[in-house]
Structures are given as C-alpha cells and as structure tokens.
Amino acid sequence: MGPEVILTFDDGPDPVQTPRILDTLQKHGIKAIFFVIGYKAQNHPEILQRIISEGHSVGNHTQNHSLFFAMLHSKKIAGEIDAFSQNIEPLVSEKITIFRPPIGYTNPKIARALKRRSMKIVAWSVRSYDSFKNRESLMSRLMKTRPSSIVLLHDNLEQTADILDEYITQSKAKGIIFANQENLKKFIHEINK
Ligand SMILES: [Zn+2]
C-alpha cells in the first residue's frame, strides 16, 4: 500500500448525505470506497450510478446489514453475500470482490464463505466513531490520520457530511495525500492477489 489515505464510507447510499459527500470528494479530486448496503443501493440506483461514474469503488456490505450477521448460520451468511452480488453487480457492470461485514466482526464461517467466493475483507486502521454527533471530537479523531491509513466513515450520517470538507482541507494542509482512482484500483488488485 502506498502513502495514500483511503476513505471508506459504509451503510449508504443515503439520498441526502451521500450526494453531499460525493460533492466534497469531487471538489477535492479524491476517490473513495463505498461499502453500500444492497437494499439501499437498489432503492437509490441513481446514487449508485453516480458513485461509479465519478470513479469511486463499491464494496459488498451485505444485502440487509443484519446486526446479527456474524451469528447467522453459514447458509444465511452466504445468502446475504450472494444476494448483494446478484442485485448490485448488474447495476455497476463489474464483479465486486471486496467485502466488509456489518459491525466489522468476522469469524471462521464468514471467512470460509468469502474464501469460496474469492472475496476479501477490507478492514480499517482509523475508526472515526462518526455515529457520535460531536463534530469537534470527530474532527480531532480524524486529524490523527497517518499516511497509508484506511479510514472508516459512514455516508448516511449528517455530521460526517458536515465535517468532511474541513477534515480533507486540514489533512491536505498537513501533507496527507488521499487516494485517486488509480490508487484504489491498485489497492483492490493487491488485496485480491
Ligand atoms: Zn455497516
């Protein structure tokens, strides 16, 4: 992995916040990975289209984002992964090989299902805890971003869309470089090796 920071956005698309986040990323020429939820992407195919057409990457965050995903039986785990692939891959016209489990927990059942499908988990190195609404503490956590980090954010949260521009602007001023499309493609290619 290069020095670039990769921003990842989970749990969208959201009809209000995702377009705001896409605007900010576009303004700064940054590309990110969106771990979308299958049913939400089906409800907002136009936002999914925008994510793809603006050069971002899409990851599998399961069809329904069950909070008990890691506790489901193997068959249901496989079903959640496959339903996403079947529903979303035709919309983005490509195979989606990267995965992030809901809540981030994995276990041998999930690992087996992913291995069988040649899919890889993308974890994170900076957790923003952006579900807490305090913008100041969110900013101070994010300002700890170091080169080569993978940052976990959520594109369904208003506070995340609110602070994104300031976070990127301040980080760039400190010399942080964010991923472009080529960096993302290379990153995804490498982890799938
Ligand atoms: Zn999630």
Side-chain angles (χ1 to χ4, degrees):
M1 199 175 159
E4 303 81 19
V5 167
I6 297 178
L7 300 180
T8 65
F9 293 93
D10 290 11
D11 295 359
D14 177 88
V16 178
Q17 307 309 334
T18 306
R20 294 179 63 208
I21 284 167
L22 288 168
D23 288 346
T24 302
L25 294 174
Q26 193 172 42
K27 174 183 158 190
H28 289 279
I30 294 169
K31 307 303 176 190
I33 304 176
F34 288 81
F35 286 93
V36 301
I37 299 173
Y39 80 87
K40 288 191 182 178
Q42 286 180 291
N43 286 341
H44 302 287
E46 71 293 346
I47 304 178
L48 187 68
Q49 272 319 312
R50 189 179 161 196
I51 289 171
I52 288 294
S53 71
E54 294 183 2
H56 304 287
S57 294
V58 170
N60 184 330
H61 199 39
T62 75
Q63 178 64 22
N64 294 297
H65 201 273
S66 165
L67 299 181
F68 308 104
F69 179 70
M71 288 178 256
L72 298 177
H73 292 294
S74 298
K75 228 178 176 173
K76 290 216 162 166
I77 286 175
E80 275 291 303
I81 299 170
D82 290 341
F84 180 102
S85 303
Q86 280 153 22
N87 293 326
I88 304 307
E89 284 177 354
L91 301 178
V92 301
S93 308
E94 62 178 38
K95 186 137 187 61
I96 296 172
T97 58
I98 50 175
F99 180 80
R100 184 173 275 165
I103 327 293
Y105 296 139
T106 187
N107 60 33
K109 279 183 293 184
I110 299 172
R112 259 195 310 276
L114 293 174
K115 195 172 179 199
R116 250 182 235 135
R117 290 159 179 78
S118 301
M119 294 176 76
K120 291 281 164 66
I121 286 185
V122 174
W124 56 80
S125 47
V126 177
R127 184 170 199 168
S128 64
Y129 291 100
D130 55 352
S131 51
F132 299 105
K133 288 187 178 165
N134 185 314
R135 274 117 174 115
E136 247 170 59
S137 55
L138 176 54
M139 266 301 285
S140 70
R141 268 190 301 270
L142 283 170
M143 288 314 293
K144 293 184 180 131
T145 305
R146 298 282 172 262
S148 306
S149 304
I150 299 174
V151 182
L152 169 64
L153 293 157
H154 293 87
D155 60 319
N156 60 332
L157 299 177
E158 185 181 22
Q159 58 269 28
T160 306
D162 285 350
I163 58 99
L164 189 63
D165 183 58
E166 195 189 342
Y167 161 52
I168 292 171
T169 303
Q170 286 195 29
S171 297
K172 278 181 159 177
K174 280 176 56 185
I176 293 287
I177 303 165
F178 291 93
N180 59 28
Q181 194 171 6
E182 200 189 323
N183 302 144
L184 281 192
K185 293 250 181 290
K186 203 170 156 204
F187 169 76
I188 292 169
H189 179 77
E190 300 261 306
I191 64 163
N192 280 302
K193 265 189 193 163

